[in-house]
Amino acid sequence: MPEAPKDISMVSDYVVDCNLSDTNTKALQFIEDVTANADEVQKRVLAEILSRSAQVEYLKRHGLNGRTDRETFKKVMPVITYEDLQTDISRIANGDTSQILCAKPISEFLTSSGTSGGERKLMPTIEEELERRSLLYSLLMPVMNQFVPGLENGKGMYFLFIKSEAKTPGGLVARPVLTSYYKSSHFKERPYDPYTNYTSPNESILCQDSYQSMYSQLLCGLCQNKEVLRVGAVFASGFIRAIRFLEKHWALLCNDIRTGIMDPQITDSSVRDAVSKILKPDPKLADFIQAECSRESWRGIITKLWSNTKYIDVIVTGTMSQYIPILDYYSNGLPLICTMYASSECYFGLNLKPLSKPSEVSYTLIPTMAYFEFLPVHRNNGVTNSISVPKSLNEKEQKELVDLVHVKLGQEYELVVTTYAGLYRYRVGDVLRVAGFKNKAPQFNFICRKNVVLSIDSDKTDEVELQNSVKNAITHLVQFDASLIEYTSYADTTTTIPGHYVLYWELKLSGSTPVPPSVFEDCCLTIEESLNSVYRQGRVSDKSIGPLEIKIVETGTFDKLMDYSISRGASINQYKTPRCVKFAPIVELLNSRVVSNYFSPKCPRWVPGHKQW
Ligand code: AMP
C-alpha cells in the first residue's frame, strides 16, 4: 500500500536522483498507488494531521479531544470560511506563536488572490509544505513525458515572476505562494534536472522590478530560441503579457542581441551578470527576430520565433479560458496545456491527460496533499454566481459533505480542505465537477470560483464588491440630478491588452446641466479605489489590468437586454439583470447602444502589505 509522505525524508527519498526514466516510472507508480488507495491514504492523512495537531488550540476549542477518526472529526468540527478564522489569523500575524492552528511553527503567510474585506486572505503555512508542493511539481513532467517525449533534450521558456512581500506586525513574511516557492532553496538550488532547465536565469525570475524581470527573461528566451521546446507561464494572462511586452520592446531586444550588450535600462547587477552568460552578439538572430516582429500580423509569432515549441503550458481553465482565442492566434493553435490545480491554501492535483482540450481538462486530486471533502453544489437556475455572501452551514448541510472517493460522476461540489498547515474543513471557494476517475481518485473539471463575476488576471471581483464600488461612484452624479437605472459589467480582454473592466450604465438624467466627462472619469476612479487590493495591485504594480471604463448606454438598453434574455427562454418573473455579461451577442447588443465612454484617468491607490500594517 502506498505511503502518504509522512515526513520530509520520504518525499526527498522519493525524488531520488536516479536516471530520468527511473524517476519518471517512480513518479507514475506513485500516482497509481495513491489513486488506487485513495481512501486509505485520505484516512491516514487526516489521522496524521489530527494527531500532530492534537494539542492545538483550535481543535481543543471545538472539543476534538485528540480524536483522529473521520467520524468524530466530521461530527465535531465545523465547515468554515476565512472569516471564521480571522481572529486566529490576526493573533498569529500579531506575533502570537502559541499553537493556535498548527503544532508546527507557522513559517510565513501566503497571500491569496482571494480577498476578505478588500484585503488578500492570509493563509498560514509551515516549512514542510514546500516539500509537498515540490512533490506535486515533480510529478508534472513524468506525466507530460508520456504524451510528448523528448522534452529533456531542450529547454522551457517560462515567464515566472515574484511579487512584493510584506511583514506582519509579529514579523512573519506575507507573500504569494509562488513568490515563496521561487525564493525557496527548492527552486533556487534545485539540482540539475532536464525538466526544470529554463531559459530564464533565477536572477531574472527573482528580480523585483517587473520591467527588468520581463525584459531579461524575454531576452534570454530569444537568445536560446532554438533550444526552446515548450513555453509558458502560470496563468494565460501572464503569458499574453509577455507577448505584448515583446510587441512593444522587440527593437530594443534585437539591438541587444545584435551587439551582445544589454540595454542600460537593465540596472540590476545580478540580472546583468546572469544574462551576460547567455547573451552573445548574434546579428543573424537579431535580423531574423526583427524580420518576424516587423510583420504586420503577429499570427503564429510563437511558432515563428520559437520554432521547436511543442506546446504552451499555461492555465486556461476557469476565468483564464477567455484568453484561449488570443493564445491560439499567437501560436497557430499549439496545444494549450493545463498541468496543475493549486492554491495558497494547498496544492491540490494535476492533469493526467495534459493534451486534452481546455474545455475537457480535469484535475486528479492527489490524496496525499491534504484531506479533501466535497460539499454538493445545488445550482440555482443554472447560476452559481448569484450574490451569495459566504454563509455558515447548518447541521444538515454539514452532513452532506462527502469524502474524496464518494463523489458522484457529473455532480458539482465545493472543495473543502483540511491541511497540514492548520486549516480544518476550510471552504476553498472553488466549484468543481466530477469528470471521471483515476483508479479510486476523482478527476474534476474546474467550473468556477464561487461568487466571482469579474477577473482579468489574478483579481477576483464578486458581485457584492462590484455593487459597493458602483454605489460609491454614483455619489458623483447626485449634484447633476442623474441617477443610475441599471448596470452590468464585462471583463474585456480582447479590445485592450492588458484587459480591463467595463461597466455599462444606463442613466436617468433629470437635471438641466449635462454630466461633464470629468465626472464620469471620477466615477471610474472611485470604482477602482473601492475594489479590492488584488485588483488595485494588478492596476498599479503588476500592470496586468488596464484602466476601468464606463460605457453609457441609451435609455431602454436594459429593457432590450431583458427582451433578449426572455426570447432565449429566461422566465419573465424571475428575470434579474445580470451584473456581469459574457455571452458575445449580449455584449454586442450593449456595445451597439453605447452613447459615450470614459476611462479611469489614473491608477487607484495601492501599497504593498495589508491595510492594518
Ligand atoms: P491563490 O490562492 O491566489 O493561489 O489562487 C488559487 C485559486 O486560483 C484557486 O482556488 C482557483 O480558484 C484558481 N486556480 C488555481 N489553479 C487553477 C486551475 N488549474 N484552473 C482554474 N483555476 C485555478
Short mmCIF file of all heavy atoms in Angstrom, two decimals, residues 112-113 315 317-318 340-345 363 428 430 446 449 460, ligand 1:
data_model
loop_
_atom_site.label_atom_id
_atom_site.label_comp_id
_atom_site.label_asym_id
_atom_site.label_seq_id
_atom_site.Cartn_x
_atom_site.Cartn_y
_atom_site.Cartn_z
N SER A 112 -3.30 35.11 -0.50
CA SER A 112 -4.13 34.56 -1.57
C SER A 112 -4.66 35.67 -2.46
O SER A 112 -4.80 36.82 -2.03
CB SER A 112 -5.28 33.81 -0.91
OG SER A 112 -6.29 33.58 -1.83
N SER A 113 -5.00 35.31 -3.69
CA SER A 113 -5.64 36.31 -4.56
C SER A 113 -7.12 36.41 -4.21
O SER A 113 -7.81 37.31 -4.66
CB SER A 113 -5.45 35.94 -6.02
OG SER A 113 -5.97 34.66 -6.25
N ILE A 315 -2.31 27.91 -17.53
CA ILE A 315 -3.66 27.55 -17.09
C ILE A 315 -4.67 28.35 -17.91
O ILE A 315 -4.61 29.58 -17.97
CB ILE A 315 -3.82 27.83 -15.58
CG1 ILE A 315 -2.96 26.83 -14.80
CG2 ILE A 315 -5.29 27.72 -15.15
CD1 ILE A 315 -2.94 27.04 -13.30
N THR A 317 -7.98 27.12 -17.74
CA THR A 317 -9.28 26.71 -17.20
C THR A 317 -9.80 27.83 -16.30
O THR A 317 -9.05 28.73 -15.92
CB THR A 317 -9.16 25.37 -16.44
OG1 THR A 317 -7.94 25.38 -15.68
CG2 THR A 317 -9.13 24.21 -17.39
N GLY A 318 -11.08 27.78 -15.97
CA GLY A 318 -11.68 28.84 -15.15
C GLY A 318 -11.74 30.14 -15.93
O GLY A 318 -11.91 30.14 -17.16
N MET A 340 -1.62 21.84 -13.68
CA MET A 340 -1.98 21.60 -12.29
C MET A 340 -3.02 22.55 -11.74
O MET A 340 -3.32 23.59 -12.32
CB MET A 340 -0.74 21.60 -11.41
CG MET A 340 -0.07 22.95 -11.27
SD MET A 340 1.54 22.76 -10.51
CE MET A 340 1.07 22.68 -8.79
N TYR A 341 -3.54 22.15 -10.61
CA TYR A 341 -4.57 22.91 -9.91
C TYR A 341 -4.07 23.10 -8.47
O TYR A 341 -3.81 22.11 -7.78
CB TYR A 341 -5.88 22.12 -9.97
CG TYR A 341 -6.99 22.62 -9.09
CD1 TYR A 341 -7.27 23.98 -8.97
CD2 TYR A 341 -7.78 21.73 -8.37
CE1 TYR A 341 -8.29 24.43 -8.16
CE2 TYR A 341 -8.82 22.17 -7.57
CZ TYR A 341 -9.05 23.52 -7.47
OH TYR A 341 -10.06 23.97 -6.66
N ALA A 342 -3.91 24.34 -8.08
CA ALA A 342 -3.28 24.61 -6.79
C ALA A 342 -3.78 25.93 -6.21
O ALA A 342 -4.40 26.72 -6.92
CB ALA A 342 -1.77 24.69 -6.98
N SER A 343 -3.48 26.15 -4.96
CA SER A 343 -3.86 27.43 -4.35
C SER A 343 -2.93 27.72 -3.19
O SER A 343 -2.08 26.90 -2.83
CB SER A 343 -5.29 27.37 -3.83
OG SER A 343 -5.31 26.66 -2.61
N SER A 344 -3.11 28.88 -2.59
CA SER A 344 -2.30 29.24 -1.43
C SER A 344 -2.60 28.32 -0.26
O SER A 344 -1.73 28.07 0.56
CB SER A 344 -2.61 30.67 -0.98
OG SER A 344 -2.65 31.52 -2.06
N GLU A 345 -3.82 27.87 -0.18
CA GLU A 345 -4.20 27.01 0.94
C GLU A 345 -3.47 25.68 0.86
O GLU A 345 -3.06 25.11 1.85
CB GLU A 345 -5.71 26.71 0.92
CG GLU A 345 -6.62 27.88 1.22
CD GLU A 345 -6.97 28.70 0.00
OE1 GLU A 345 -6.24 28.60 -1.03
OE2 GLU A 345 -7.96 29.45 0.06
N TYR A 363 -8.65 17.66 -13.38
CA TYR A 363 -7.52 17.54 -12.46
C TYR A 363 -7.78 16.40 -11.48
O TYR A 363 -8.87 16.30 -10.91
CB TYR A 363 -7.34 18.85 -11.69
CG TYR A 363 -7.05 20.03 -12.60
CD1 TYR A 363 -8.06 20.94 -12.96
CD2 TYR A 363 -5.78 20.22 -13.13
CE1 TYR A 363 -7.80 22.00 -13.81
CE2 TYR A 363 -5.51 21.29 -13.98
CZ TYR A 363 -6.52 22.18 -14.31
OH TYR A 363 -6.26 23.23 -15.15
N VAL A 428 -12.62 26.27 0.20
CA VAL A 428 -11.68 26.97 -0.69
C VAL A 428 -12.42 27.99 -1.55
O VAL A 428 -11.88 29.03 -1.92
CB VAL A 428 -10.94 25.93 -1.57
CG1 VAL A 428 -10.06 26.61 -2.61
CG2 VAL A 428 -10.11 25.00 -0.70
N ASP A 430 -13.90 27.09 -4.51
CA ASP A 430 -13.92 26.64 -5.91
C ASP A 430 -15.03 25.62 -6.13
O ASP A 430 -15.25 24.76 -5.27
CB ASP A 430 -12.60 25.97 -6.28
CG ASP A 430 -11.44 26.96 -6.36
OD1 ASP A 430 -11.71 28.17 -6.43
OD2 ASP A 430 -10.29 26.51 -6.34
N PHE A 446 -12.61 22.11 -13.48
CA PHE A 446 -12.75 23.34 -12.69
C PHE A 446 -13.93 24.11 -13.27
O PHE A 446 -13.93 24.42 -14.46
CB PHE A 446 -11.47 24.18 -12.78
CG PHE A 446 -11.53 25.42 -11.96
CD1 PHE A 446 -11.09 25.42 -10.65
CD2 PHE A 446 -12.06 26.59 -12.48
CE1 PHE A 446 -11.17 26.57 -9.87
CE2 PHE A 446 -12.15 27.74 -11.71
CZ PHE A 446 -11.69 27.72 -10.40
N ARG A 449 -14.99 29.88 -9.63
CA ARG A 449 -14.77 30.31 -8.27
C ARG A 449 -16.11 30.86 -7.81
O ARG A 449 -16.74 31.63 -8.52
CB ARG A 449 -13.71 31.40 -8.31
CG ARG A 449 -13.41 32.00 -7.02
CD ARG A 449 -12.02 31.66 -6.59
NE ARG A 449 -11.82 32.14 -5.24
CZ ARG A 449 -10.93 31.63 -4.42
NH1 ARG A 449 -10.17 30.64 -4.79
NH2 ARG A 449 -10.80 32.12 -3.22
N LYS A 460 -10.13 38.83 -8.43
CA LYS A 460 -11.41 38.12 -8.38
C LYS A 460 -12.42 39.05 -7.75
O LYS A 460 -12.39 39.26 -6.54
CB LYS A 460 -11.28 36.85 -7.53
CG LYS A 460 -10.24 35.87 -8.07
CD LYS A 460 -10.03 34.74 -7.09
CE LYS A 460 -9.17 33.65 -7.68
NZ LYS A 460 -7.77 34.03 -7.89
P1 AMP B 1 -4.40 31.73 -4.96
O1 AMP B 1 -4.92 31.35 -3.62
O2 AMP B 1 -4.24 33.17 -5.17
O3 AMP B 1 -3.16 30.96 -5.22
O4 AMP B 1 -5.47 31.26 -6.04
C1 AMP B 1 -5.89 29.93 -6.06
C2 AMP B 1 -7.11 29.85 -6.91
O5 AMP B 1 -6.77 30.00 -8.29
C3 AMP B 1 -7.80 28.52 -6.83
O6 AMP B 1 -8.57 28.38 -5.67
C4 AMP B 1 -8.62 28.57 -8.11
O7 AMP B 1 -9.76 29.37 -7.94
C5 AMP B 1 -7.66 29.25 -9.08
N1 AMP B 1 -6.91 28.20 -9.81
C6 AMP B 1 -5.77 27.60 -9.46
N2 AMP B 1 -5.42 26.65 -10.35
C7 AMP B 1 -6.38 26.65 -11.29
C8 AMP B 1 -6.62 25.91 -12.47
N3 AMP B 1 -5.78 24.97 -12.90
N4 AMP B 1 -7.74 26.18 -13.18
C9 AMP B 1 -8.60 27.14 -12.79
N5 AMP B 1 -8.43 27.87 -11.70
C10 AMP B 1 -7.35 27.63 -10.95
#
